[in-house]
Amino acid sequence: MTTIYDIASKANVSKSTVSRVLNHHPYVSEKNKQKVWQVIEELNYTPNALARSFRFMRNKTIAVIIPNLYHSFFSLLASGISKELRAQGYKTVISESFYNAENEKVILEMLKFKEIEGIILCSIENDWEFIEEYLNYGPIVLCNEFHEEATIPVICYDERGATAEALNHLLNQGHTRIGFCYDVSDSPLQKMRQESYEQFRDHDFQETKKWFYPECFTIKDGMNVVKNLVKHPQNDRPTALFTGNDYVAAGVIKELKQRGLDVPREFGVIGYDDHQICLATHPTISTIHIPIDQLGVYTAKTLIKTLSENKPLQREVKTFEGKLIIREST
Amino acid sequence: MTTIYDIASKANVSKSTVSRVLNHHPYVSEKNKQKVWQVIEELNYTPNALARSFRFMRNKTIAVIIPNLYHSFFSLLASGISKELRAQGYKTVISESFYNAENEKVILEMLKFKEIEGIILCSIENDWEFIEEYLNYGPIVLCNEFHEEATIPVICYDERGATAEALNHLLNQGHTRIGFCYDVSDSPLQKMRQESYEQFRDHDFQETKKWFYPECFTIKDGMNVVKNLVKHPQNDRPTALFTGNDYVAAGVIKELKQRGLDVPREFGVIGYDDHQICLATHPTISTIHIPIDQLGVYTAKTLIKTLSENKPLQREVKTFEGKLIIREST
DNA sequence: TTGTATGCGTTATCAA
DNA sequence: TTGATAACGCATACAA
């Protein structure tokens, strides 16, 4: 392995001079500069990133924790974040928590060991008090996840607004019994959606709880919701579903059609995410468009700013707007 | 920041002893061992990963290059690889090449700088001669991509077999004019599919080239294929399509239905990947199931073996079997 | 069983 | 403008 020492020997200068040349330090004679670059070329030298990391005590690596890479929303979010971080010279380690606190902890520990410089949390699995401890070791920011007290930047989109928009739309279409499919019940984000949903009680929503469908992640889950739903008499089941993601909506629509229920005439469906699958179903899916890219870029920028300016984190809630896209399913 | 030196001072031993305790070296007295662990606890000490990386000249980080995180096939592949690498104590940096040689080069360069220890290439954008140079700096393995000459492990699945199986199935269903949708034409893998397809010429496939549809990635692309296809007279267009991925197949099916063409009676469709979207369309999509997880795990294991045994890479082609899944679209 | 000394590659400080 | 030297945290060869 060639080191600056080898360059120095061959160029008849000191290590210091080589280092200066490499770092474009102003005080190097033109002659030496030329010579050193020439030898660097000759010996095909590359600076050793491991030594630099050690020297500066930072390795330009950020971890992004997402629930999984299975759902395209998360993979796109991770992709957006990663792209921006790369542009700024950072490496990104994408880690799936699978909604598991222990997996999340593994990454938090990496911060302590200086394996990473900072963390972007796209879901919260441990208690905030637990996570807070790790702020001693590096910055953590929240993205696409909300927390009431967390004393760190929170980048999310307007859950309540989007939910309200979707529900209003369904009400306008004449639906009064609206069901709600979500994934995991203990996420602060999902709770916001639920609360937002519950605020619509006054519109004949007396028995909302009955129409909460948890653990909905996939197309199959959506199908199962319908399979169970149709077991109830027509006047005791929802006439519309607001689902946590478009896959679930697609499953719902597929199963409704299978059972001869017409969408949107007999049943309304709204998805979430504006995934391309919305176009493949029949009817196409009304949904909420989330500006994933903006979320990712803003989050990455926020974290990098903290890192480079080396200033302490502080709470700052940045909200992006979702947008209702009306298609054929409502 | 607490270092082993701090521990040593407080425990009244030398740095060496602390280091030995941390590394479970056998020759440490029970008394000192106890004492050191106690102080470590007291001072909340954590070994510095950056220093260790530097000391050993390795940072336990692998890069995975995939075309993008947009297609779930790639995100699942990256997820599988990453999971196995994590289990073995490695960090994974997932990088999207976007089918761009320059982006690929950026990652290859990281190997040279020792920012990463090895690379898993899930697509090839540069010439092999160019990539080969980087083997001087660390191991590279191929996953889900094929190359005739590459002197490195090649982990893929049986493209030709899967294609043949799909085409045979379509032939058995009475189709003789079969079109072929693929993504990028210059990938070795896609070439294999094409070649495999061309071997079926003898079955009335005289004008295959006409029915090649490149640049098919998304649902919309699938729709467009049908939009263009129906412009031709019925006896001069395919009666079936074999698509490079399930999204494209979903788009094809959707557009065919939109135009009143019955699938599978009037038109057969086979997808690729066995993505969950296959279940959401009407009719459901016949497809090829790829053992993504096996691919990922095997690839990760292969790379790690090279890394830990520090033995030179050699060509080794490992092939997994795809499996035709017959559903309603054929 | 323990401690001392050295080195990993780089950058920064200081003196020349 | 340059070079000698120390320092970053850790592991280890060697001496004791």
Side-chain angles (χ1 to χ4, degrees):
Chain A
M1 189 171 46
T2 13
T3 71
I4 44 169
Y5 179 77
D6 302 321
I7 308 295
S9 305
K10 190 145 187 194
N12 283 318
V13 295
S14 71
K15 291 192 303 178
S16 318
T17 302
V18 177
S19 177
R20 287 195 189 94
V21 170
L22 284 167
N23 294 289
H24 304 100
H25 192 282
Y27 294 157
V28 185
S29 69
E30 196 54 40
K31 184 174 133 274
N32 275 343
K33 216 184 289 182
Q34 300 260 335
K35 180 79 189 171
V36 167
W37 278 121
Q38 185 197 321
V39 177
I40 284 175
E41 195 101 343
E42 256 174 61
L43 266 45
N44 189 24
Y45 164 83
T46 320
N48 187 318
L50 294 167
R52 296 178 69 118
S53 288
F54 175 57
R55 183 60 178 72
F56 292 120
M57 272 310 143
R58 28 189 320 191
N59 61 359
K60 295 274 211 168
T61 306
I62 303 294
V64 176
I65 310 185
I66 53 178
N68 56 64
L69 276 166
Y70 185 76
H71 278 292
S72 78
F73 180 86
F74 297 127
S75 53
L76 287 179
L77 184 58
S79 163
I81 293 171
S82 163
K83 218 175 300 174
E84 180 65 22
L85 288 175
R86 161 97 32 90
Q88 311 255 5
Y90 283 82
K91 293 185 281 296
T92 309
V93 174
I94 299 172
S95 326
E96 300 172 281
S97 73
F98 301 109
Y99 298 104
N100 176 297
E102 188 54 40
N103 291 334
E104 185 178 273
K105 190 187 162 192
V106 170
I107 310 300
L108 290 166
E109 281 291 302
M110 286 172 62
L111 196 56
K112 200 168 168 183
F113 281 75
K114 293 191 183 301
E115 294 198 73
I116 52 177
E117 286 188 46
I119 297 180
I120 293 174
L121 260 186
C122 301
S123 76
I124 300 185
E125 302 304 332
N126 286 283
D127 295 334
W128 172 244
E129 294 72 41
F130 180 80
I131 295 173
E132 202 170 17
E133 284 299 307
Y134 289 90
L135 290 175
N136 293 315
Y137 308 110
I140 302 175
V141 304
L142 238 43
C143 174
N144 186 51
E145 177 62 293
F146 187 80
H147 194 277
E148 286 295 347
E149 309 142 38
T151 55
I152 57 178
V154 178
I155 294 96
C156 55
Y157 55 89
D158 183 11
E159 280 290 334
R160 290 180 206 275
T163 304
E165 218 182 330
L167 293 177
N168 262 324
H169 173 60
L170 288 174
L171 289 170
N172 289 338
Q173 300 292 93
H175 296 283
T176 53
R177 300 198 304 276
I178 301 172
F180 182 60
C181 304
Y182 56 100
D183 43 26
V184 286
S185 44
D186 44 355
S187 130
L189 201 102
Q190 290 293 349
K191 283 208 185 100
M192 278 176 75
R193 284 192 203 174
Q194 288 177 33
E195 282 166 24
S196 188
Y197 169 82
E198 282 167 356
Q199 286 174 5
F200 279 79
R201 278 177 200 253
D202 39 345
H203 299 79
D204 197 49
F205 269 51
Q206 301 85 351
E207 305 200 71
T208 51
K209 284 295 179 199
K210 231 194 220 167
W211 299 324
F212 272 10
Y213 305 93
E215 301 292 320
C216 288
F217 300 92
T218 65
I219 289 174
K220 271 196 183 148
D221 295 333
M223 291 175 166
N224 285 332
V225 167
V226 173
K227 280 179 189 158
N228 289 321
L229 178 148
V230 293
K231 289 179 190 159
H232 297 83
Q234 226 170 11
N235 60 357
D236 188 32
R237 67 189 196 203
T239 62
L241 281 174
F242 177 38
T243 74
N245 77 58
D246 293 327
Y247 280 90
V248 174
V252 165
I253 286 175
K254 166 77 182 186
E255 190 65 27
L256 286 169
K257 157 175 269 152
Q258 208 76 3
R259 294 170 180 274
L261 280 160
D262 186 87
V263 178
R265 205 171 44 77
E266 298 174 84
F267 208 100
V269 181
I270 294 189
Y272 217 113
D273 296 347
D274 196 19
H275 185 268
Q276 59 166 324
I277 197 175
C278 292
L279 302 177
T281 55
H282 184 83
T284 56
I285 304 174
S286 296
T287 190
I288 308 230
H289 176 85
I290 309 295
I292 302 188
D293 256 8
Q294 289 180 41
L295 272 175
V297 171
Y298 192 91
T299 304
K301 281 192 196 302
T302 303
L303 184 61
I304 289 174
K305 193 152 66 170
T306 321
L307 239 23
S308 55
E309 298 179 1
N310 204 23
K311 64 174 187 189
L313 282 173
Q314 54 186 26
R315 184 174 178 89
E316 168 214 351
V317 179
K318 170 75 180 180
T319 311
F320 289 92
E321 291 303 315
K323 184 161 166 280
L324 178 65
I325 312 269
I326 299 174
R327 295 206 178 88
E328 300 164 357
S329 66
T330 52
Chain B
M1 188 171 45
T2 16
T3 72
I4 45 168
Y5 179 77
D6 302 321
I7 308 294
S9 306
K10 189 144 189 195
N12 283 317
V13 295
S14 72
K15 292 191 301 178
S16 324
T17 302
V18 177
S19 178
R20 288 194 189 96
V21 170
L22 284 166
N23 294 290
H24 305 100
H25 191 283
Y27 294 157
V28 185
S29 68
E30 195 55 39
K31 184 173 132 276
N32 275 342
K33 214 183 291 182
Q34 301 260 335
K35 180 78 188 169
V36 167
W37 278 122
Q38 186 198 320
V39 177
I40 284 175
E41 195 100 342
E42 256 174 60
L43 298 184
N44 189 25
Y45 165 82
T46 320
N48 186 319
L50 294 167
R52 296 178 69 115
S53 287
F54 175 57
R55 180 62 177 71
F56 292 117
M57 272 311 144
R58 29 190 318 193
N59 62 359
K60 295 275 211 168
T61 306
I62 304 293
V64 176
I65 309 185
I66 54 178
N68 57 62
L69 275 167
Y70 185 76
H71 277 291
S72 78
F73 180 86
F74 297 127
S75 53
L76 287 180
L77 184 59
S79 163
I81 292 171
S82 162
K83 219 175 300 175
E84 180 64 23
L85 288 175
R86 161 95 33 89
Q88 311 255 4
Y90 283 82
K91 292 184 281 296
T92 309
V93 173
I94 299 173
S95 326
E96 300 172 279
S97 73
F98 301 109
Y99 298 105
N100 176 297
E102 188 54 39
N103 290 334
E104 185 178 272
K105 190 186 161 194
V106 169
I107 310 299
L108 289 166
E109 282 289 303
M110 286 174 62
L111 196 56
K112 201 168 169 185
F113 281 75
K114 293 193 184 298
E115 294 197 72
I116 52 178
E117 285 188 46
I119 297 180
I120 293 174
L121 260 186
C122 300
S123 76
I124 300 186
E125 303 305 332
N126 286 284
D127 294 335
W128 172 243
E129 294 72 41
F130 180 79
I131 295 172
E132 202 170 18
E133 285 299 308
Y134 289 91
L135 290 175
N136 292 315
Y137 308 110
I140 302 176
V141 304
L142 238 43
C143 174
N144 186 51
E145 178 62 292
F146 187 79
H147 193 276
E148 286 294 348
E149 309 142 39
T151 55
I152 57 177
V154 179
I155 293 95
C156 54
Y157 56 88
D158 182 11
E159 279 291 334
R160 290 180 206 276
T163 305
E165 217 182 329
L167 293 177
N168 262 323
H169 173 60
L170 288 173
L171 288 170
N172 289 338
Q173 302 290 94
H175 297 283
T176 53
R177 301 198 303 278
I178 301 172
F180 182 59
C181 304
Y182 56 101
D183 44 26
V184 286
S185 45
D186 45 354
S187 131
L189 201 104
Q190 291 292 350
K191 283 210 185 98
M192 279 176 75
R193 285 192 203 174
Q194 288 177 33
E195 283 167 25
S196 187
Y197 169 81
E198 282 166 355
Q199 286 174 6
F200 279 79
R201 279 177 199 254
D202 39 344
H203 300 79
D204 197 48
F205 269 50
Q206 301 87 348
E207 305 200 70
T208 52
K209 284 296 178 197
K210 229 195 222 168
W211 299 324
F212 271 9
Y213 304 93
E215 300 293 320
C216 288
F217 300 92
T218 64
I219 288 174
K220 271 196 183 150
D221 295 333
M223 290 174 166
N224 286 331
V225 166
V226 173
K227 281 179 190 159
N228 289 321
L229 178 148
V230 293
K231 289 178 190 159
H232 297 83
Q234 227 169 12
N235 60 357
D236 188 32
R237 68 189 196 203
T239 63
L241 282 173
F242 177 37
T243 73
N245 75 59
D246 293 327
Y247 280 90
V248 175
V252 165
I253 286 175
K254 166 77 183 187
E255 190 66 27
L256 286 168
K257 157 175 269 154
Q258 208 76 2
R259 292 167 181 275
L261 280 161
D262 186 86
V263 179
R265 205 172 43 79
E266 298 174 83
F267 208 100
V269 181
I270 295 189
Y272 217 114
D273 296 347
D274 196 19
H275 184 268
Q276 59 165 325
I277 197 176
C278 292
L279 301 177
T281 56
H282 184 81
T284 56
I285 303 174
S286 296
T287 190
I288 309 231
H289 177 85
I290 309 295
I292 301 187
D293 255 8
Q294 287 180 43
L295 272 174
V297 170
Y298 192 92
T299 305
K301 281 192 196 299
T302 303
L303 184 61
I304 288 174
K305 194 153 66 172
T306 323
L307 240 22
S308 55
E309 298 179 1
N310 204 22
K311 64 174 187 189
L313 282 173
Q314 53 185 25
R315 185 174 177 87
E316 168 215 349
V317 179
K318 171 75 180 181
T319 311
F320 289 92
E321 291 302 315
K323 185 160 165 278
L324 179 65
I325 311 271
I326 300 175
R327 294 206 178 90
E328 299 164 357
S329 66
T330 52

